[in-house]
Amino acid sequence: MRADRLITIVQILQSRGKISSKELAQTLEVSERTIFRDMEALSFSGIPVLAERGREGGWRLAEGYRNSLTGMNTKEIAALLVPADPAILHALGIQEEFSSAARKLQAVATRQPVTPFSFLSQRIHIDGAGWHPSGETYPCLTALQGALWENRKVSITYLRGEDAAERLVAPLGLVVKRGVWYLVAGHDSELRTYRVSRITEAKVTDELFELPEDFDLSRYWETSTAAFKSALPRYPSSLLVREQTMKELQKERYVALLHKEPSEAPGWIRAEVEFNTPESACRIILSLGQGIKVTAPPELADTVAAALREAAALYDF
C-alpha cells in the first residue's frame, strides 16, 4: 500500500541520510516515476524532503528533522531477536516483520533506546549446531508461538509412540536444533521438553502464567542436552576411516569422535569413537560403505561382516 511505502521512504531517508531515486526505486520495487510522485506527496504532507541535483545528488530530509514513525511492535522486536536465517524466519512467519524492524532500528540507532523487550530473547533459542531442514511438519508451531508471546497456557495433544496424551502446559520457550523444533514448557511444576512435530493439536487458553524469574532458556537447553547425552548408552569402537568418509562420520548425530590420527595406510585415518549401541554402530558403519572398517571390538566387526555377507547373498555373489 502507498501509505506503507511513504513511511518506509521516510525511514530509509532517516537512516541513510541521502539516497538516489534509482536506489529507492530498486529497494521498494517501483518505478522512478512513482518515487517522484511519492516525494511530492511527502512534501505536500509537511515532510521536509529535499532534492539535491548532480552526480552526487539524491533525496534527503531537512537538517535536524526527525519523525516519530519508528514505533516497533512486539512481533517486529521478536523477529530481530531470531538470527536472520531465511528458513527460520519463514517457519515463524515473520520475514516481513524482520525487514520492517531492521529499517526501524536503523532509524532510531542514534536516538532514544527502543522500549525494552529483552525478555523475548528468552523465548526462542537457536542451538549452535546449525540449521539442517528436517522434513518434519509443525502444524501447531504458530499457535505455540502466539501463546509464548502472551504468556498463555496451551492445551496440547502430544504423541508418545502410538499413544496420545493431553496436557495443559505453560510454554516457556521454543528451541530449534538441526531443523527440529522443540517446546520447553512447564507441566505439573516440572520443566518438560516436547518435540513440536509430535504435537498434533494446540489450543491456546485464556489462562495466564508468569515466567519464572530464574528461568533461562539457553541455560536450560544446555543443561538438559548435557544430561540427555550423559544418560545415553556408550559403545566404544576403533575404526579405520577413509579421509573423505571422515566428514560424513562426524556428521552422524549419535557418534562421538574421541580421537583420530593418520594411519600407516595412505588415505586412511585411525579413529576412536563412541556409538550409542551395537545396533546403531552396525547401521551407521554399513551406511558408510567401503569408506570404513571396524578394528575393534571383534564382535562388532563380526556383526558388520555377517551383514555384508547376507547382503551379498541377495545378489547371488
Side-chain angles (χ1 to χ4, degrees), residues 1 7-8 34 65 77 85 94 110 130 134 156 176 179 196 206 211 225 233 273 300 311-312:
M1 296 178 62
I7 292 174
T8 299
T34 297
Y65 173 80
I77 292 286
D85 187 307
I94 53 177
T110 58
S134 64
I156 64 171
V176 60
V196 176
D206 293 330
L211 189 74
T225 300
V273 304
L300 177 59

Side-chain angles (χ1 to χ4, degrees), residues 236-307:
S237 305
S238 300
L239 308 170
L240 274 176
V241 187
R242 290 186 188 274
E243 292 178 351
Q244 59 267 36
T245 306
M246 179 57 71
K247 292 181 180 179
E248 297 301 316
L249 178 64
Q250 290 181 269
K251 290 180 182 178
E252 291 289 340
R253 187 180 307 182
Y254 301 112
V255 178
L257 178 62
L258 304 180
H259 176 73
K260 66 176 182 179
E261 61 183 26
S263 169
E264 54 273 11
W268 289 80
I269 296 173
R270 291 190 177 276
E272 300 295 326
V273 304
E274 280 186 346
F275 297 100
N276 291 154
T277 64
E279 293 76 17
S280 66
C282 184
R283 184 178 65 254
I284 292 170
I285 290 167
L286 290 172
S287 72
L288 295 175
Q290 299 177 355
I292 190 168
K293 178 183 178 182
V294 179
T295 57
E299 61 269 19
L300 177 59
D302 292 342
T303 301
V304 172

Side-chain angles (χ1 to χ4, degrees), residues 12-21 23-24 50-61:
I12 291 175
L13 291 176
Q14 202 165 265
S15 60
R16 294 278 296 273
K18 183 167 61 177
I19 187 172
S20 69
S21 299
E23 288 179 292
L24 267 177
L50 305 178
E52 292 186 359
R53 301 186 182 278
R55 187 174 183 179
E56 301 297 329
W59 296 99
R60 67 177 180 85
L61 295 171

Side-chain angles (χ1 to χ4, degrees), residues 145-162:
Q145 180 195 355
L148 203 63
W149 298 153
E150 298 178 5
N151 284 6
R152 295 186 182 276
K153 291 188 176 182
V154 185
S155 176
I156 64 171
T157 302
Y158 187 69
L159 293 179
R160 300 190 65 179
E162 297 181 356

